[in-house]
């Protein structure tokens, strides 16, 4: 099983395709520098992801150079979304391990993603409260500025 999740009935790439020119499946062999350009990640980060187990086994050319596929790009897009949630790297690595272990880990994956979702909802609520404070302050200064300008024009 690859990191992109597959069942008999469906494939769940779990990710929005990355921007840029993707090659057709079967012709999707990307160098590390091409993946870096497509994803905005550095080559160092891509190697690190592979080293810590966040990336699946990456194919190699006959000269030993990494060759990424569209499935790898899809996985990197998911990893990028998980990073945005604030999920710890250790949890992302655990998620990747669970995916590689197979379908019997769906329950644990579900719980991990559900907990992350709760964390995101908490952060969204905190940010909405913060935004409300900023909106009140902006409104105060806008009103004060208009009052001051009106006073000066008299």
């Amino acid at each position: 099983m690859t990191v992109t999740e597959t069942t008999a009935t469906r494939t769940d790439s779990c990710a929005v395709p990355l921007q840029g020119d993707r090659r057709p499946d079967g012709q999707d062999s990307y160098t590390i520098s091409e993946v870096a350009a497509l994803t905005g990640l550095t080559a160092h980060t891509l190697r690190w992801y592979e080293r810590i187990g966040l990336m699946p086994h990456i194919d190699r050319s006959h000269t030993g150079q990494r060759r990424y596929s569209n499935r790898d790009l899809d996985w990197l897009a998911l990893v990028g979304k998980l990073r945005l949630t604030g999920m710890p790297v250790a949890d992302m690595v655990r998620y990747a391990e669970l995916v590689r272990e197979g379908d019997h880990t769906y329950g644990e994956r579900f719980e991990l993603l559900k907990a992350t979702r709760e964390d995101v909802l908490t952060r969204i609520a905190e940010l909405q409260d913060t935004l409300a404070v900023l909106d009140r302050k902006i409104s105060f200064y806008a009103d004060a500025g208009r009052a001051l300008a009106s006073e000066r024009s008299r």
Side-chain angles (χ1 to χ4, degrees), residues 104-122:
H104 69 280
T105 65
Y106 274 10
E108 195 172 345
R109 286 186 252 171
F110 172 82
E111 292 301 326
L112 184 61
L113 293 176
K114 187 175 164 189
T116 300
R117 184 179 191 280
E118 290 302 316
D119 292 344
V120 169
L121 289 173
T122 299

Side-chain angles (χ1 to χ4, degrees), residues 43-95:
H44 176 77
T45 298
L46 292 166
R47 288 186 204 100
W48 181 66
Y49 281 0
E50 187 178 357
R51 190 169 51 254
I52 65 172
L54 189 52
M55 285 293 297
H57 168 77
I58 302 298
D59 288 335
R60 303 278 179 145
S61 70
H62 68 282
T63 60
Q65 293 178 320
R66 289 170 177 82
R67 293 292 184 227
Y68 294 83
S69 68
N70 286 335
R71 293 182 83 154
D72 297 323
L73 295 179
D74 290 341
W75 178 254
L76 287 168
L78 172 62
V79 168
K81 296 297 183 191
L82 294 177
R83 286 179 57 216
L84 287 174
T85 70
M87 180 186 272
V89 172
D91 287 349
M92 288 188 276
V93 170
R94 178 67 185 140
Y95 181 79

Side-chain angles (χ1 to χ4, degrees), residues 29-47:
S29 179
Y30 303 90
T31 65
I32 197 165
S33 59
E34 290 172 322
V35 172
L38 286 168
T39 63
L41 298 170
T42 65
H44 176 77
T45 298
L46 292 166
R47 288 186 204 100

Side-chain angles (χ1 to χ4, degrees), residues 144-154:
R146 282 191 293 272
L148 186 59
S150 175
E151 226 175 82
R152 287 184 181 159
S153 67
R154 290 182 193 181

